[in-house]
Amino acid sequence: MAICTVYTTPSLNSTCSISTTSKTQLGFHQKQVVFYSSGKKTSKRGSNTTSPYVITCTSAGDSKTVVIGLAADSGCGKSTFMRRLTSVFGGAAEPPKGGNPDSNTLISDTTTVICLDDYHSLDRTGRKQKGVTALDPRANDFDLMYEQVKALKDGIPVDKPIYNHVSGLLDPPELIKPPKILVIEGLHPMFDSRVRDLLDFSIYLDISNEVKFAWKIQRDMAERGHSLESIKASIEARKPDFDAYIDPQKQYADAVIEVLPTQLIPDDNEGKILRVRLIMKEGVEFFNPVYLFDEGSTISWIPCGRKLTCSYPGIKFFYGPDTYFGHEVSVLEMDGQFDRLDELIYVESHLSNISTKFYGEVTQQMLKHADFPGSSNGTGLFQTIVGLKIRDLYEQLISTTAKTPVEATKA
């Protein structure tokens, strides 16, 4: 079935205009068919005037792409979250086939994940010469970011640039086709108001300085061969720009996953046990916050030790209403870690609004990715739940779009 929008345009003659696929300066691939048909109507003064109609038709299957934004600093778990999210939708997320082996893009059956580092306007040498970090807006092309995300949301393929993390150079662009779900992840998905307005849902990963330092050491030393001294210097150099340009974005997020040191061990300095808070904004369309036991109540819960095995210092949950940057929110918190993921079903059975399709789906997803970082604590649990909530939001958005009747609007 085709969905048509009809506009009256008195200034146009009766004609049919067909434009073939073309590439714009911004890297779009456009194809458009516009049909004009003239008609007559009587003006207020009683005279007949020609009033052509412009009819634009698109297939109902060509629904607009749903856009999700994920913001976080470097080394804060974006990649792990993306793997959990794409797993919820099914299909392995892989780089574009036959493309640049150093591409940052991940494509699955339903989702395409774009790393916003690809919109760096300066390569590594250029940033060093100008004395700016990648977090500085001056090192990024927000105009191109906005135009290309908008194009993909509207169903138009783009030639997206590639920032090569290995060489630090800007590589030739790659063709990105509109997916069902587009995830833009990186430092700045909510920085530019134009890009922010394109998002159907947004998440911010808020990692405390203590936890971030431990994670960054583990990743950059083990995976990238950086020295401890270079990691410390990098963190200190980035902090002013992080505080100025990245951290303020969390006020715009629909959901925030906040990772903090535990409160179960007094003066804990190891950072192995984490307290994780899922902060969910109230009043977001197609998103109902998760709750524990009784919606809207304030609840502190220590699970039964006979039903949930956990070693010292144990596990504690909290749920309740709060305010966050002036917004009403619901907060679900977990402090501690699981010893046995198969027992997570006990916790899952006490949570509501988790958007599962069957009993135990959260536990199944956690067991499926037991080797992922954070699977024994609240980071993995809440990332999994947010992934299920995004799937539910997507299905509601698509259902609403499919029910939209044929539109006829007079200009």
Side-chain angles (χ1 to χ4, degrees):
M1 181 183 74
I3 298 176
C4 300
T5 307
V6 183
Y7 305 94
T8 52
T9 53
S11 62
L12 296 173
N13 295 321
S14 177
T15 185
C16 177
S17 173
I18 303 176
S19 62
T20 57
T21 302
S22 61
K23 181 178 171 184
T24 71
Q25 291 179 345
L26 292 170
F28 305 158
H29 292 259
Q30 296 181 328
K31 187 173 183 179
Q32 184 179 24
V33 178
V34 182
F35 177 73
Y36 307 101
S37 101
S38 60
K40 289 188 177 182
K41 68 177 182 179
T42 303
S43 69
K44 292 181 180 180
R45 295 182 180 179
S47 60
N48 290 331
T49 59
T50 299
S51 180
Y53 291 88
V54 179
I55 304 177
T56 303
C57 298
T58 58
S59 167
D62 296 331
S63 55
K64 286 190 176 182
T65 294
V66 173
V67 183
I68 308 298
L70 173 65
D73 195 8
S74 174
C76 288
K78 295 189 297 294
S79 298
T80 301
F81 185 34
M82 287 301 94
R83 287 190 288 168
R84 292 189 190 276
L85 176 61
T86 53
S87 175
V88 166
F89 286 96
E94 300 175 343
K97 293 181 180 179
N100 188 329
D102 294 321
S103 171
N104 303 305
T105 304
L106 293 174
I107 298 176
S108 67
D109 297 342
T110 306
T111 62
T112 292
V113 180
I114 286 179
C115 175
L116 295 184
D117 288 358
D118 287 336
Y119 292 99
H120 288 340
S121 56
L122 298 173
D123 61 17
R124 193 175 295 157
T125 301
R127 295 195 299 271
K128 187 175 181 179
Q129 289 174 344
K130 290 185 177 293
V132 298
T133 71
L135 291 75
D136 193 311
R138 293 174 295 175
N140 297 274
D141 190 341
F142 288 100
D143 288 337
L144 183 61
M145 183 191 300
Y146 162 69
E147 295 293 349
Q148 292 202 339
V149 173
K150 184 178 186 302
L152 289 168
K153 187 178 180 73
D154 290 339
I156 303 170
V158 302
D159 284 321
K160 181 190 62 60
I162 298 174
Y163 176 76
N164 191 316
H165 285 97
V166 178
S167 66
L169 300 174
L170 302 175
D171 285 353
E174 61 186 354
L175 176 64
I176 302 296
K177 297 178 181 179
K180 294 179 180 178
I181 300 170
L182 174 68
V183 183
I184 58 171
E185 62 90 359
L187 299 169
H188 302 99
M190 291 172 270
F191 178 82
D192 188 292
S193 62
R194 299 169 300 171
V195 178
R196 191 165 65 238
D197 289 343
L198 295 173
L199 302 178
D200 294 293
F201 193 78
S202 55
I203 311 106
Y204 186 91
L205 302 183
D206 189 13
I207 317 300
S208 68
N209 290 330
E210 302 93 327
V211 176
K212 186 189 299 184
F213 182 66
W215 284 7
K216 196 166 179 64
I217 287 177
Q218 181 180 358
R219 187 197 70 172
D220 287 0
M221 288 186 71
E223 298 178 14
R224 300 184 179 178
H226 295 181
S227 67
L228 180 61
E229 291 74 19
S230 67
I231 294 170
K232 289 181 178 179
S234 172
I235 290 174
E236 290 303 315
R238 292 167 64 92
K239 194 174 187 312
D241 282 353
F242 171 79
D243 292 341
Y245 307 121
I246 311 304
D247 195 55
Q249 293 177 72
K250 62 189 179 186
Q251 65 185 298
Y252 304 114
D254 298 313
V256 175
I257 297 178
E258 187 177 50
V259 184
L260 304 158
T262 183
Q263 291 183 334
L264 299 177
I265 304 174
D267 302 319
D268 176 60
N269 294 319
E270 292 188 14
K272 294 181 179 180
I273 308 298
L274 300 175
R275 178 167 67 101
V276 187
R277 306 174 79 227
L278 175 57
I279 303 168
M280 301 161 283
K281 191 178 291 183
E282 297 282 354
V284 177
E285 190 175 19
F286 305 123
F287 177 78
N288 294 314
V290 180
Y291 64 89
L292 176 66
F293 291 116
D294 183 40
E295 187 173 15
S297 297
T298 299
I299 294 168
S300 180
W301 178 46
I302 298 176
C304 174
R306 293 190 302 273
K307 299 178 181 178
L308 187 68
T309 305
C310 51
S311 52
Y312 178 83
I315 293 179
K316 184 177 181 179
F317 284 87
F318 169 84
Y319 163 76
D322 204 344
T323 57
Y324 188 77
F325 289 98
H327 298 286
E328 291 186 1
V329 297
S330 290
V331 178
L332 178 63
E333 177 182 307
M334 174 185 164
D335 196 348
Q337 62 184 26
F338 306 109
D339 284 352
R340 294 183 54 183
L341 283 180
D342 59 324
E343 295 177 344
L344 180 59
I345 189 71
Y346 171 58
V347 173
E348 181 179 349
S349 65
H350 290 81
L351 297 172
S352 297
N353 277 353
I354 51 178
S355 300
T356 53
K357 290 188 178 294
F358 55 86
Y359 179 74
E361 187 177 12
V362 171
T363 303
Q364 182 193 74
Q365 284 289 326
M366 291 285 285
L367 286 167
K368 182 179 178 181
H369 304 298
D371 58 331
F372 283 12
S375 291
S376 63
N377 58 51
T379 58
L381 175 61
F382 293 158
Q383 286 177 5
T384 299
I385 290 174
V386 170
L388 294 171
K389 298 295 291 182
I390 290 174
R391 181 184 66 186
D392 181 58
L393 178 139
Y394 164 74
E395 291 174 350
Q396 290 186 68
L397 278 167
I398 294 304
S399 176
T400 301
T401 302
K403 292 177 181 177
T404 302
V406 173
E407 221 178 304
T409 308
K410 287 192 175 182

